[in-house]
Amino acid sequence: MHARPVRRRDTSFLSFRARIPADIVDATKGQAIALAFPAEAGEPEHVALVRPGREVKFSLRIRNPAVAKSRRGIALAQLETRWNAIRSGPKPLTHRQIIRYRARCAGRSGRLQPGVPGAGCGHFAVGPSGDA
């Protein structure tokens, strides 16, 4: 991995580039990963949507090297969390997590409709720690 954000020749924005660990390359191919960056130092917040291959690369949408370095750290932390979740695999939910999950689903549509896209539980993401 690069020690600092890199600048491509064809743009003034700094970019992020990092290799994906060899043990999870196949598991991450084709997945879309959203990385969120907060607003800081007068720069707007930014969400990068990336589809990794053997590496993750995207524009940090920033010209300020100090903010770019901060965003690089945020990206590395988010990616490391993702890699650890992929390595550990799916975890069973506790009864309490299932109850919370069902309550959130019911709150979205007013009633539970598992498996129906956009209507309740069928498409609700569970975080890497298993918390719903």
Side-chain angles (χ1 to χ4, degrees):
M1 286 190 240
H2 297 285
R4 61 182 72 155
V6 296
R7 190 179 308 269
R8 291 181 20 207
R9 291 182 187 144
D10 60 340
T11 182
S12 61
F13 287 127
L14 291 158
S15 298
F16 176 90
R17 186 175 179 180
R19 292 181 62 184
I20 295 176
D23 62 327
I24 60 169
V25 168
D26 293 334
T28 59
K29 280 190 180 173
Q31 287 186 4
I33 300 174
L35 302 169
F37 303 98
E40 62 180 298
E43 299 292 342
E45 63 184 29
H46 172 60
V47 176
L49 184 63
V50 296
R51 290 197 181 272
R54 290 192 115 357
E55 63 183 7
V56 175
K57 54 186 175 178
F58 59 91
S59 172
L60 292 168
R61 296 279 183 211
I62 203 81
R63 292 179 179 93
N64 181 340
V67 176
K69 190 172 182 180
S70 170
R71 286 189 177 180
R72 181 182 180 280
I74 292 168
L76 286 173
Q78 290 180 28
L79 289 171
E80 191 61 36
T81 298
R82 172 76 122 201
W83 303 159
N84 290 335
I86 289 170
R87 284 184 186 113
S88 65
K91 292 187 169 98
L93 297 175
T94 65
H95 180 68
R96 177 175 281 174
Q97 291 169 329
I98 292 168
I99 298 301
R100 263 193 233 143
Y101 174 75
R102 289 181 59 91
R104 285 187 182 177
C105 292
R108 285 186 175 184
S109 65
R111 63 185 190 282
L112 294 173
Q113 297 179 6
V116 178
C121 292
H123 297 275
F124 184 79
V126 177
S129 65
D131 292 346

